[in-house]
Amino acid sequence: MGTRKRRLLVLGGAAVVFLMASPIAAWAQGAEGPSAETIAIDTVWTLLAAFLVFFMQAGFAMVEAGFTRQKNAANIVMKNLMDFGMSSIAFWAVGFALMFGAGNALFGTSGWFLSGGEGTFDSLSWATPPLSAKWIFQVVFAGTAATIVSGAMAERTKFKAYILYSGLISGLIYPIAGHWIWGGGWLATRGFLDFAGSTVVHSVGGWAAMVGAIMLGPRIGKYGPDKKPRAIPGHSMPLAFLGVFILWFGWFGFNPGSTLAANELAAHIAVTTNLAAAAGAIMAMFTAWMFGRKPDVGMTANGALAGLVAITAPCAFVEPWAAVVIGGIGGVLVYFAVKAFDKAGVDDPVGAVSVHAINGVWGTLAVGIFAAPRLVEGLTNVTPGLAYGHGLGQLGTQALGVVAVAGWTIVSAAIVFGLIKATVGLRVSREEEIEGLDIGEHGMWGYPEAFLGPTALATPEAIATARNGVKAEADVVHPRI
């Protein structure tokens, strides 16, 4: 036998051995379980989705910075950076265990510091990626819940208070509510559906934001002597809209990524997600145009976000036409919710409560109305929606979950904020709020030239002069009463 033939035989034999040992051959022979290729693809998809959701932190930062005044811009981006830092450590240490660890119907009791392996987190066993990929996907959700609170409490919250409550929300409040629904807890066993977090993430963040805004009180100048709300314009609508585009982009990781698998359902969810966002923006614009006589820029931006929040729970369970209806109603709701909270004395600079709490509730209830029979078939204790003639059963389950999570979040957030207020303090001084949190909390403005001038240096004298100028101007606009 020639040398060339021997080489061909050796290579051919090696190829046969490799194929017989490979997951493709195992699959072809009927072996149980997903192939290594399936696991690898699902893992890459889950990681990519997690990275998209992480990028939403930048989106939240830009929305919040744009909707508020330039004297607080550095403080806002600092908060959005550090709340994810705090969330990462808190969720690794205790939050992930409380949410997904083996335990009882109320909370997990094992898996602290990501210990115990796959078996400890059996509630995630339905997904093929490894535990580390599941954790990184879930931690970016925890960071989202925490960062929602920042917007409603912007421009008057102490930085150290923000650091404290970010860790407590992501490490305690959010995970316990999440366990009830995604960790095999009592709502999950009743058939409550929230595919990607209208309630778990957005309502939790939104209700906590409402409590924080109420306990802080409104910004100086928000309400006039007649107690009527006055607009405090943000410093950059282009920056805010950049944030909206980033969030819309990131939501393609948030919702489709919650499949934790690269499959047909993820594509369906991408369609429903996009349609709801588009409908939300359109309907918010037309609602503002009709009732406010102008196609308001800020309302339109929040309309897109409202549509995205509303579709987050039902994205996997509804048809595309229903997604348009859900997102469109979300856009209308956010307009009237912003007006109502303003009138009630709740100063929310970015509309976070209206976007996340109100539309988180609406999206969760929408599952009970629009869940399509073909998309919920086979799910335990779940019935199709009211729109398909299947009664109020699923809608009742959804309402129960909404009320339970709202109650838990409001009470626990009130305790957290109350303790912080009684110890380190929650709100900055009047002088610091007037100067801006950039200089008071961090020692420098985010836009130094706006305060020091284009040629000034950051000397102690120049900074002191600029601060005195801000105070003098503010005393004319906001005199002490």
Side-chain angles (χ1 to χ4, degrees):
M1 182 182 295
T3 302
R4 185 175 181 181
K5 287 184 178 181
R6 283 198 298 271
R7 288 177 178 173
L8 288 172
L9 285 173
V10 170
L11 290 172
V16 170
V17 171
F18 171 77
L19 288 172
M20 290 181 66
S22 72
I24 296 175
W27 174 81
Q29 294 170 29
E32 294 184 0
S35 69
E37 281 80 0
T38 297
I39 294 172
I41 292 170
D42 288 349
T43 300
V44 171
W45 165 241
T46 300
L47 291 174
L48 176 61
F51 302 154
L52 285 171
V53 178
F54 169 74
F55 191 43
M56 290 172 72
Q57 291 288 135
F60 281 114
M62 296 302 97
V63 168
E64 185 181 344
F67 275 146
T68 53
R69 291 165 289 187
Q70 65 179 179
K71 65 182 181 179
N72 298 308
N75 172 259
I76 284 163
V77 295
M78 183 72 165
K79 289 191 303 179
N80 280 269
L81 173 68
M82 293 313 301
D83 70 36
F84 188 73
M86 293 296 295
S87 296
S88 295
I89 301 302
F91 199 68
W92 164 71
V94 296
F96 192 66
L98 286 171
M99 191 162 179
F100 295 106
N104 52 53
L106 296 177
F107 49 82
T109 58
S110 57
W112 316 110
F113 299 95
L114 203 56
S115 62
E118 299 278 351
T120 304
F121 303 97
D122 190 56
S123 59
L124 291 171
S125 62
W126 56 271
T128 61
L131 182 61
S132 54
K134 295 170 186 174
W135 182 84
I136 199 67
F137 186 77
Q138 293 299 333
V139 75
V140 292
F141 275 57
T144 298
T147 205
I148 288 168
V149 183
S150 175
M153 300 176 67
E155 301 200 288
R156 72 264 202 213
T157 303
K158 285 186 177 181
F159 182 68
K160 57 186 175 184
Y162 185 77
I163 293 295
L164 287 172
Y165 71 68
S166 291
L168 290 168
I169 288 170
S170 54
L172 178 64
I173 297 174
Y174 164 76
I176 289 178
H179 181 80
W180 297 352
I181 298 164
W182 290 345
W186 68 278
L187 282 173
T189 59
R190 289 173 176 264
F192 180 87
L193 294 179
D194 182 2
F195 189 79
S198 287
T199 284
V200 176
V201 180
H202 295 284
S203 283
V204 167
W207 293 129
M210 183 188 74
V211 173
I214 291 171
M215 294 186 71
L216 269 176
R219 290 167 292 174
I220 296 170
K222 175 63 180 177
Y223 294 90
D226 58 359
K227 306 301 181 184
K228 290 183 179 179
R230 300 186 292 190
I232 300 178
H235 84 278
S236 175
M237 285 299 104
L239 201 62
F241 265 68
L242 173 63
V244 171
F245 281 118
I246 291 172
L247 288 171
W248 193 329
F249 176 62
W251 236 287
F252 290 123
F254 206 101
N255 287 2
S258 293
T259 58
L260 301 185
N263 55 26
E264 185 179 352
L265 181 59
H268 171 83
I269 293 169
V271 172
T272 58
T273 298
N274 192 68
L275 288 173
I282 291 168
M283 290 306 296
M285 179 189 70
F286 278 119
T287 304
W289 210 338
M290 181 181 297
F291 291 93
R293 299 185 180 182
K294 293 289 183 181
D296 185 85
V297 176
M299 283 293 186
T300 303
N302 272 339
L305 300 181
L308 288 163
V309 170
I311 199 60
T312 297
C315 59
F317 311 122
V318 300
E319 302 289 0
W321 68 266
V324 173
V325 175
I326 293 166
I329 292 174
V332 175
L333 281 175
V334 77
Y335 176 85
F336 290 107
V338 166
K339 298 296 184 184
F341 280 114
D342 255 4
K343 190 175 181 179
V346 180
D347 182 15
D348 179 357
V350 305
V353 181
S354 301
V355 169
H356 298 279
I358 301 305
N359 277 285
V361 169
W362 159 235
T364 304
L365 295 177
V367 175
I369 301 171
F370 297 107
R374 75 176 185 91
L375 295 171
V376 296
E377 184 180 4
L379 297 179
T380 305
N381 295 328
V382 172
T383 57
L386 182 63
Y388 293 88
H390 287 268
L392 296 169
Q394 191 61 40
L395 184 58
T397 301
Q398 298 301 113
L400 173 65
V402 164
V403 172
V405 171
W408 158 250
T409 306
I410 290 170
V411 172
S412 57
I415 293 171
V416 165
F417 289 127
L419 289 173
I420 292 173
K421 189 173 183 178
T423 52
V424 301
L426 196 58
R427 183 166 181 154
V428 299
S429 67
R430 180 183 188 276
E431 289 72 20
E432 189 173 347
E433 183 178 343
I434 288 171
E435 282 186 297
L437 275 63
D438 285 7
I439 191 68
E441 293 281 73
H442 308 289
M444 182 49 64
W445 294 281
Y447 298 94
E449 286 189 3
F451 298 91
L452 296 174
T455 60
L457 299 175
T459 63
E461 294 78 15
I463 292 172
T465 300
R467 295 178 74 170
N468 289 332
V470 171
K471 290 177 184 177
E473 183 180 350
D475 281 336
V476 174
V477 179
H478 306 302
R480 292 180 181 271
I481 299 174

